[in-house]
Amino acid sequence: HAPALGIEHDEGVQVAGVLSDDERRAWNVLYRLGRADADELAHVLDWEEAAARRALDNLQRRRLVIAVDDSYVPVGTSWWTRH
């Protein structure tokens, strides 16, 4: 994979670098939610759960999200936050 990272600024965290469209959409929605599992993300994005899980797993491998129990949290948010 090409490099990607989360950049923190006054308005929050933004992902920069080379991501697939699905990875970018998943990260943006997850950042807005604060924390979600694959089923929740799939529901919001109107995706199959397998597609959401694949995007989340890719983001985790790239260290842009953290797995917490059965959920995922994007970098730059508190683990206990749920909007």
Side-chain angles (χ1 to χ4, degrees):
H1 286 131
L5 58 122
I7 299 173
E8 188 173 6
H9 49 83
D10 291 342
E11 293 80 36
V13 177
Q14 181 180 12
V15 157
V18 179
L19 297 171
S20 72
D21 289 341
D22 286 349
E23 290 168 343
R24 190 171 300 279
R25 286 182 65 206
W27 193 91
N28 287 333
V29 169
L30 185 61
Y31 185 76
R32 199 172 66 237
L33 294 173
R35 181 178 181 161
D37 62 20
D39 186 53
E40 291 170 291
L41 186 67
H43 178 75
V44 172
L45 289 169
D46 196 26
W47 288 356
E48 295 291 325
E49 184 180 350
R53 184 166 309 284
R54 202 168 29 255
L56 289 167
D57 288 345
N58 288 341
L59 291 169
Q60 182 182 13
R61 274 192 294 281
R62 300 180 80 180
R63 297 185 177 134
L64 294 170
V65 302
I66 301 164
V68 179
D69 299 321
D70 293 329
S71 297
Y72 295 83
V73 179
V75 296
T77 59
S78 299
W79 291 16
W80 56 87
T81 302
R82 185 161 201 116
H83 300 283

